[in-house]
Amino acid sequence: MVADWSSLPTDLLSDIATKLETIEDFIYFSVVCRSWNHASSSIKHSWKGARVPWLLLAENKNENPNFIRKVFSLNNNKCYKLNLPEIFGARCWGSPYGWVAMVGRDLSVELFNPITKVKFHFPSCKTLSHPLEYFDRIPYDEDYYHWVLQRFLQKLIVIKVSKGDHQEFVIAALYDFDRLALARHSDQSWTSVFIRKYSVLIDLVSVDNYVYGLYDDGDIVFWNVREFLGGELVKAMEFSPHKLEIFEFFAEVTMRPSRYLIQSGSDFLMVIRDRQVVANSDYDDYNYDIVYQTNNFKVYKLNPKAKKWEEIKDVGSVALFVGRNYSMSVSVTVSECLRSNCIYFTDDEYNLWDIETDFGGHDMGVYDINSGERCRFYVGDDTRSSFCPPIWFIPDFRV
């Protein structure tokens, strides 16, 4: 007699689903049949299994009629194929909330969940304020899209805001090197946020309805974005730690280091990424090949009492994730596959992504903070792209 697994009681199936440890197993469970999907849907908001970052790999434009996009899971070192026509041709940024923020070729901005396919529309990039009317250029050509998606926009960061029982996701746009704007999906245009004119805001994190930003000189700015749900922002406050000597040498290096702000437990970390450019000796102005790679990272912890950034070699039982995404700290206890005291990095050197002989995406791996050793976590031919190399995001079917 063949067992009819679809006829198992819903309560029993729900109990089984709650005990699944990984999101991959939960998704497999939910697609077995209609009754199993119903049981998993009834408890998905209370499911507390491990959510390990996925790597959304580069877009394959050739021979891809079904718009298949691969994701790589660190939890089991496996790739999965997803049908994602919604993000085809878009520039994307990852987040820890299940969302991918993306900008399409029509300059539309959206939050998209690659698992549930839920999508929220945000104001177009055309409503970002700027003293020069860049967006009056009609008709748009390929060079224009290339400039907006690769040069004008540096980063889209997803922020979770709560006010009472109301919860909403806000997008922060870092653009034009020295500008910041916020938007909700119900807005018609972006709200510009004033930042210092003589410094560049390079990364943001959100903690308990506050957003903290890192300037390129190591200073911190923060404000309460909960008031943004009411239509306004409280005045930004600034915190200026003593300057690190390393900042004095940034102008002398070949490539300007990337810096990331990460909230890990109760600590704020600043991660500095040093790269090296290697050029062929026989190149000229019209025919050249450029290869760049990450040499090392330095990690600093903010000591607020002493107003200092202090270098550390141990971040504890966490792994840090940096690149074209919300800079994240993830506990290694959620998966045996994650390495503690390591930095998982993807390629975010967008200034060189349009080099046709190399493209971007190759500069990624795992860096051991204590030993300085580097290694690869993924080997494949689907990492290169001139506009959207691989990004980290934490999958979530609850949003």
Side-chain angles (χ1 to χ4, degrees):
M1 180 177 176
V2 179
D4 183 8
W5 296 101
S6 63
S7 64
L8 290 174
T10 301
D11 290 346
L12 176 59
L13 290 173
S14 297
D15 287 342
I16 295 174
T18 59
K19 293 177 172 58
L20 297 174
E21 296 182 352
T22 69
I23 193 168
E24 292 85 2
D25 288 341
F26 196 96
I27 293 174
Y28 281 139
F29 183 95
S30 67
V31 298
V32 169
C33 62
R34 184 172 299 179
S35 61
W36 287 40
N37 178 269
H38 174 72
S40 61
S41 298
S42 66
I43 58 93
K44 68 179 183 180
H45 290 288
S46 59
W47 181 76
K48 297 180 180 179
R51 295 188 303 123
V52 177
W54 280 5
L55 186 71
L56 179 65
L57 292 165
E59 179 178 292
N60 174 18
K61 292 184 178 180
N62 300 322
E63 300 179 359
N64 190 10
N66 297 318
F67 303 103
I68 297 299
R69 194 76 170 264
K70 289 199 298 184
V71 294
F72 174 74
S73 171
L74 288 171
N75 193 54
N76 52 22
N77 292 321
K78 290 183 178 180
C79 277
Y80 300 91
K81 293 182 178 180
L82 303 179
N83 177 240
L84 298 175
E86 297 87 350
I87 63 175
F88 187 78
R91 187 180 179 193
C92 302
W93 292 263
S95 82
Y97 307 117
W99 299 110
V100 169
M102 60 185 188
V103 179
R105 286 181 55 81
D106 59 353
L107 303 186
S108 61
V109 180
E110 295 174 321
L111 278 187
F112 176 68
N113 188 318
I115 295 179
T116 65
K117 301 296 186 75
V118 173
K119 182 189 296 185
F120 286 105
H121 299 279
F122 282 70
S124 167
C125 285
K126 299 175 185 178
T127 67
L128 286 167
S129 65
H130 196 277
L132 300 178
E133 297 302 325
Y134 289 137
F135 300 115
D136 287 345
R137 181 176 170 181
I138 298 175
Y140 304 140
D141 55 26
E142 193 66 27
D143 289 340
Y144 172 79
Y145 287 113
H146 180 276
W147 171 78
V148 173
L149 296 180
Q150 192 157 301
R151 308 290 183 182
F152 184 74
L153 286 170
Q154 278 82 59
K155 210 168 192 179
L156 293 185
I157 300 171
V158 182
I159 299 169
K160 183 164 66 173
V161 183
S162 301
K163 191 171 185 178
D165 294 332
H166 181 63
Q167 179 176 291
E168 191 168 340
F169 289 97
V170 174
I171 294 182
L174 297 177
Y175 67 102
D176 203 30
F177 300 103
D178 62 354
R179 293 178 176 273
L180 169 67
L182 300 177
R184 302 165 297 181
H185 75 89
S186 58
D187 291 340
Q188 298 300 310
S189 61
W190 292 81
T191 299
S192 296
V193 179
F194 175 79
I195 59 176
R196 295 186 304 188
K197 293 183 179 180
Y198 56 88
S199 292
V200 178
L201 194 63
I202 55 178
D203 205 3
L204 300 171
V205 296
S206 59
V207 183
D208 297 330
N209 293 320
Y210 279 82
V211 167
Y212 297 82
L214 176 67
Y215 287 115
D216 63 350
D217 60 2
D219 284 359
I220 298 289
V221 62
F222 59 96
W223 56 89
N224 188 344
V225 293
R226 182 173 56 187
E227 301 302 323
F228 183 60
L229 297 185
E232 62 182 31
L233 284 167
V234 298
K235 183 179 179 180
M237 304 293 290
E238 292 193 9
F239 182 83
S240 298
H242 300 301
K243 295 296 180 288
L244 293 169
E245 291 184 4
I246 191 173
F247 286 105
E248 299 177 4
F249 300 99
F250 283 167
E252 302 176 11
V253 297
T254 305
M255 297 186 69
R256 191 171 179 83
S258 292
R259 278 143 288 177
Y260 312 93
L261 182 64
I262 302 178
Q263 188 249 338
S264 182
S266 59
D267 297 322
F268 283 106
L269 306 178
M270 176 173 61
V271 176
I272 299 178
R273 176 179 185 169
D274 178 42
R275 297 185 183 89
Q276 179 182 12
V277 171
V278 180
N280 287 347
S281 59
D282 57 348
Y283 76 93
D284 55 39
D285 290 340
Y286 303 100
N287 181 22
Y288 61 93
D289 184 18
I290 292 182
V291 177
Y292 56 93
Q293 66 178 13
T294 295
N295 287 335
N296 59 69
F297 288 88
K298 290 185 180 294
V299 181
Y300 296 85
K301 183 170 71 173
L302 182 64
N303 183 333
K305 292 183 178 180
K307 297 190 71 173
K308 294 174 58 179
W309 286 108
E310 300 172 341
E311 186 175 2
I312 58 175
K313 292 291 186 179
D314 189 353
V315 297
S317 300
V318 299
L320 308 181
F321 290 80
V322 300
R324 285 167 42 77
N325 52 266
Y326 186 109
S327 303
M328 299 178 283
S329 172
V330 178
S331 172
V332 298
T333 60
V334 300
S335 173
E336 295 180 353
C337 294
L338 292 183
R339 296 175 54 184
S340 64
N341 202 38
C342 285
I343 299 173
Y344 290 77
F345 61 95
T346 56
D347 196 338
D348 60 359
E349 182 47 59
Y350 60 87
N351 287 307
L352 297 177
W353 284 351
D354 56 352
I355 305 300
E356 294 185 1
T357 54
D358 200 42
F359 288 141
H362 64 282
D363 188 24
M364 64 181 192
V366 185
Y367 179 85
D368 188 293
I369 299 172
N370 185 49
S371 68
E373 295 179 351
R374 291 171 300 169
C375 65
R376 302 178 70 177
F377 60 82
Y378 176 77
V379 178
D381 58 358
D382 41 11
T383 60
R384 303 297 181 88
S385 171
S386 62
F387 67 97
C388 193
I391 61 168
W392 295 115
F393 76 101
I394 295 183
D396 197 338
F397 45 72
R398 298 171 295 183
V399 294

